[in-house]
Amino acid sequence: MGSAASAPGRDEKEIAKAARQTGFTLEEVRYLHKRFKGLCKSNPDKLSAQDLPDFGSQQANDFAHRIFNTFEKDAVDDVTFGAFVKGAATFRADTPVGVKLQYIFEMLDFNFDDELESKELMEVLRLVRPGLALAEYNALLTKIFEEVCPGQDTAVITRDEFVSYAKKIPGIENMLTIDVQKAVVAATPAGGAAAAP
């Protein structure tokens, strides 16, 4: 870890490199850098699983850890800023929707077997629709399998089936696009430039 005086220069080099590699503007990467640094509690340059906030429920916390696990890690299983920006770049407007959906599939495939099983989908449903009765969750699962895999007697959804189905969802492109520039503008004081990290 360098001295505090050298950190801004090192940070600017890292920001410039991330902008070149991802297509984000320098301003957008600076914004992401500030957000990343705000998450890093145990080490100012790396995000560890212990740094993740408590979302108030075990299911939400488990899902946050699952998202964390989709990022590339260093030798000690921490996420570097470069990996964080690369993950965010997956959801840029110019990234093909199929690439975004592949990433989402990997988040949902908890056991990494390249299939979404009833148990995995049930975990996601409980997170996004908490408080339903078991019969209601089962009815939703049945509906999902009927829509994604019509005419098949299966309890799994393959990656290709997931991507093919999800591409047809109205507005999916907008749902899977992060507008970092909009966040930068919202974070910029009126009449001023975005603050450097």
Side-chain angles (χ1 to χ4, degrees), residues 129-147:
R129 301 278 307 269
L132 296 180
L134 181 59
E136 292 173 296
Y137 284 123
N138 286 331
L140 282 171
L141 278 177
T142 299
K143 182 177 179 186
I144 289 168
F145 282 109
E146 287 173 354
E147 288 183 10

mmCIF file of all heavy atoms in Angstrom, residues 129-147:
data_model
loop_
_atom_site.group_PDB
_atom_site.id
_atom_site.type_symbol
_atom_site.label_atom_id
_atom_site.label_comp_id
_atom_site.label_asym_id
_atom_site.label_seq_id
_atom_site.Cartn_x
_atom_site.Cartn_y
_atom_site.Cartn_z
ATOM 1 N N ARG A 129 -39.922 -11.533 -4.659
ATOM 2 C CA ARG A 129 -41.343 -11.557 -4.275
ATOM 3 C C ARG A 129 -41.483 -12.164 -2.876
ATOM 4 O O ARG A 129 -42.063 -13.236 -2.703
ATOM 5 C CB ARG A 129 -42.148 -12.395 -5.279
ATOM 6 C CG ARG A 129 -42.120 -11.962 -6.728
ATOM 7 C CD ARG A 129 -43.079 -10.850 -7.095
ATOM 8 N NE ARG A 129 -44.458 -11.032 -6.748
ATOM 9 C CZ ARG A 129 -45.384 -11.586 -7.536
ATOM 10 N NH1 ARG A 129 -45.065 -12.046 -8.720
ATOM 11 N NH2 ARG A 129 -46.625 -11.660 -7.124
ATOM 12 N N PRO A 130 -40.954 -11.499 -1.845
ATOM 13 C CA PRO A 130 -40.994 -12.074 -0.497
ATOM 14 C C PRO A 130 -42.416 -12.169 0.041
ATOM 15 O O PRO A 130 -43.300 -11.410 -0.360
ATOM 16 C CB PRO A 130 -40.158 -11.093 0.331
ATOM 17 C CG PRO A 130 -40.215 -9.811 -0.401
ATOM 18 C CD PRO A 130 -40.350 -10.171 -1.866
ATOM 19 N N GLY A 131 -42.620 -13.137 0.929
ATOM 20 C CA GLY A 131 -43.883 -13.225 1.647
ATOM 21 C C GLY A 131 -44.987 -14.018 0.986
ATOM 22 O O GLY A 131 -46.093 -14.093 1.516
ATOM 23 N N LEU A 132 -44.728 -14.627 -0.160
ATOM 24 C CA LEU A 132 -45.774 -15.435 -0.791
ATOM 25 C C LEU A 132 -45.873 -16.799 -0.106
ATOM 26 O O LEU A 132 -44.915 -17.278 0.505
ATOM 27 C CB LEU A 132 -45.462 -15.641 -2.271
ATOM 28 C CG LEU A 132 -45.428 -14.412 -3.168
ATOM 29 C CD1 LEU A 132 -45.102 -14.806 -4.603
ATOM 30 C CD2 LEU A 132 -46.750 -13.656 -3.118
ATOM 31 N N ALA A 133 -47.009 -17.415 -0.245
ATOM 32 C CA ALA A 133 -47.193 -18.768 0.270
ATOM 33 C C ALA A 133 -46.467 -19.745 -0.654
ATOM 34 O O ALA A 133 -46.248 -19.453 -1.835
ATOM 35 C CB ALA A 133 -48.678 -19.106 0.333
ATOM 36 N N LEU A 134 -46.103 -20.896 -0.131
ATOM 37 C CA LEU A 134 -45.385 -21.905 -0.918
ATOM 38 C C LEU A 134 -46.159 -22.262 -2.186
ATOM 39 O O LEU A 134 -45.564 -22.399 -3.259
ATOM 40 C CB LEU A 134 -45.121 -23.159 -0.081
ATOM 41 C CG LEU A 134 -44.354 -24.273 -0.779
ATOM 42 C CD1 LEU A 134 -42.979 -23.789 -1.252
ATOM 43 C CD2 LEU A 134 -44.192 -25.471 0.152
ATOM 44 N N ALA A 135 -47.470 -22.382 -2.102
ATOM 45 C CA ALA A 135 -48.281 -22.712 -3.282
ATOM 46 C C ALA A 135 -48.144 -21.626 -4.361
ATOM 47 O O ALA A 135 -48.105 -21.929 -5.562
ATOM 48 C CB ALA A 135 -49.740 -22.896 -2.884
ATOM 49 N N GLU A 136 -48.055 -20.372 -3.926
ATOM 50 C CA GLU A 136 -47.904 -19.280 -4.893
ATOM 51 C C GLU A 136 -46.529 -19.339 -5.568
ATOM 52 O O GLU A 136 -46.413 -19.112 -6.779
ATOM 53 C CB GLU A 136 -48.087 -17.934 -4.199
ATOM 54 C CG GLU A 136 -49.518 -17.692 -3.724
ATOM 55 C CD GLU A 136 -49.647 -16.436 -2.879
ATOM 56 O OE1 GLU A 136 -49.039 -16.396 -1.788
ATOM 57 O OE2 GLU A 136 -50.345 -15.507 -3.329
ATOM 58 N N TYR A 137 -45.493 -19.631 -4.788
ATOM 59 C CA TYR A 137 -44.157 -19.780 -5.380
ATOM 60 C C TYR A 137 -44.139 -20.938 -6.373
ATOM 61 O O TYR A 137 -43.588 -20.820 -7.467
ATOM 62 C CB TYR A 137 -43.100 -20.033 -4.300
ATOM 63 C CG TYR A 137 -42.719 -18.805 -3.505
ATOM 64 C CD1 TYR A 137 -42.852 -18.789 -2.127
ATOM 65 C CD2 TYR A 137 -42.228 -17.661 -4.136
ATOM 66 C CE1 TYR A 137 -42.497 -17.675 -1.387
ATOM 67 C CE2 TYR A 137 -41.873 -16.538 -3.401
ATOM 68 C CZ TYR A 137 -42.007 -16.546 -2.023
ATOM 69 O OH TYR A 137 -41.653 -15.443 -1.304
ATOM 70 N N ASN A 138 -44.762 -22.037 -6.005
ATOM 71 C CA ASN A 138 -44.793 -23.197 -6.909
ATOM 72 C C ASN A 138 -45.548 -22.873 -8.190
ATOM 73 O O ASN A 138 -45.154 -23.311 -9.278
ATOM 74 C CB ASN A 138 -45.380 -24.422 -6.195
ATOM 75 C CG ASN A 138 -44.413 -25.012 -5.197
ATOM 76 O OD1 ASN A 138 -43.193 -24.912 -5.353
ATOM 77 N ND2 ASN A 138 -44.938 -25.627 -4.150
ATOM 78 N N ALA A 139 -46.635 -22.116 -8.085
ATOM 79 C CA ALA A 139 -47.391 -21.726 -9.276
ATOM 80 C C ALA A 139 -46.532 -20.830 -10.177
ATOM 81 O O ALA A 139 -46.547 -20.983 -11.413
ATOM 82 C CB ALA A 139 -48.676 -21.006 -8.869
ATOM 83 N N LEU A 140 -45.769 -19.915 -9.575
ATOM 84 C CA LEU A 140 -44.878 -19.060 -10.368
ATOM 85 C C LEU A 140 -43.796 -19.889 -11.059
ATOM 86 O O LEU A 140 -43.481 -19.662 -12.231
ATOM 87 C CB LEU A 140 -44.227 -18.000 -9.480
ATOM 88 C CG LEU A 140 -45.095 -16.811 -9.110
ATOM 89 C CD1 LEU A 140 -44.412 -15.950 -8.048
ATOM 90 C CD2 LEU A 140 -45.415 -15.976 -10.337
ATOM 91 N N LEU A 141 -43.241 -20.856 -10.340
ATOM 92 C CA LEU A 141 -42.226 -21.729 -10.955
ATOM 93 C C LEU A 141 -42.795 -22.490 -12.141
ATOM 94 O O LEU A 141 -42.161 -22.571 -13.197
ATOM 95 C CB LEU A 141 -41.681 -22.727 -9.926
ATOM 96 C CG LEU A 141 -40.596 -22.239 -9.003
ATOM 97 C CD1 LEU A 141 -40.226 -23.316 -7.999
ATOM 98 C CD2 LEU A 141 -39.362 -21.809 -9.777
ATOM 99 N N THR A 142 -43.979 -23.036 -11.965
ATOM 100 C CA THR A 142 -44.630 -23.777 -13.055
ATOM 101 C C THR A 142 -44.822 -22.863 -14.266
ATOM 102 O O THR A 142 -44.526 -23.250 -15.402
ATOM 103 C CB THR A 142 -45.983 -24.342 -12.584
ATOM 104 O OG1 THR A 142 -45.743 -25.239 -11.505
ATOM 105 C CG2 THR A 142 -46.698 -25.070 -13.710
ATOM 106 N N LYS A 143 -45.290 -21.650 -14.014
ATOM 107 C CA LYS A 143 -45.511 -20.694 -15.105
ATOM 108 C C LYS A 143 -44.190 -20.364 -15.808
ATOM 109 O O LYS A 143 -44.125 -20.295 -17.036
ATOM 110 C CB LYS A 143 -46.157 -19.424 -14.562
ATOM 111 C CG LYS A 143 -46.467 -18.405 -15.630
ATOM 112 C CD LYS A 143 -47.168 -17.193 -15.061
ATOM 113 C CE LYS A 143 -47.427 -16.212 -16.188
ATOM 114 N NZ LYS A 143 -47.962 -14.964 -15.741
ATOM 115 N N ILE A 144 -43.126 -20.158 -15.037
ATOM 116 C CA ILE A 144 -41.817 -19.849 -15.631
ATOM 117 C C ILE A 144 -41.374 -20.986 -16.543
ATOM 118 O O ILE A 144 -40.975 -20.755 -17.686
ATOM 119 C CB ILE A 144 -40.768 -19.589 -14.532
ATOM 120 C CG1 ILE A 144 -41.060 -18.250 -13.843
ATOM 121 C CG2 ILE A 144 -39.351 -19.608 -15.105
ATOM 122 C CD1 ILE A 144 -40.266 -18.021 -12.562
ATOM 123 N N PHE A 145 -41.430 -22.207 -16.053
ATOM 124 C CA PHE A 145 -40.989 -23.342 -16.868
ATOM 125 C C PHE A 145 -41.863 -23.524 -18.104
ATOM 126 O O PHE A 145 -41.358 -23.836 -19.185
ATOM 127 C CB PHE A 145 -40.949 -24.638 -16.041
ATOM 128 C CG PHE A 145 -39.737 -24.728 -15.162
ATOM 129 C CD1 PHE A 145 -39.832 -24.606 -13.794
ATOM 130 C CD2 PHE A 145 -38.469 -24.920 -15.717
ATOM 131 C CE1 PHE A 145 -38.712 -24.682 -12.986
ATOM 132 C CE2 PHE A 145 -37.342 -24.992 -14.925
ATOM 133 C CZ PHE A 145 -37.460 -24.869 -13.543
ATOM 134 N N GLU A 146 -43.174 -23.291 -17.971
ATOM 135 C CA GLU A 146 -44.063 -23.408 -19.131
ATOM 136 C C GLU A 146 -43.748 -22.350 -20.187
ATOM 137 O O GLU A 146 -43.806 -22.621 -21.383
ATOM 138 C CB GLU A 146 -45.528 -23.289 -18.689
ATOM 139 C CG GLU A 146 -46.036 -24.518 -17.966
ATOM 140 C CD GLU A 146 -47.434 -24.327 -17.383
ATOM 141 O OE1 GLU A 146 -47.986 -23.196 -17.441
ATOM 142 O OE2 GLU A 146 -47.970 -25.316 -16.853
ATOM 143 N N GLU A 147 -43.413 -21.141 -19.750
ATOM 144 C CA GLU A 147 -43.126 -20.062 -20.695
ATOM 145 C C GLU A 147 -41.744 -20.197 -21.332
ATOM 146 O O GLU A 147 -41.587 -19.946 -22.520
ATOM 147 C CB GLU A 147 -43.237 -18.702 -20.000
ATOM 148 C CG GLU A 147 -44.664 -18.312 -19.693
ATOM 149 C CD GLU A 147 -44.769 -16.925 -19.067
ATOM 150 O OE1 GLU A 147 -43.770 -16.189 -19.030
ATOM 151 O OE2 GLU A 147 -45.876 -16.589 -18.621
#
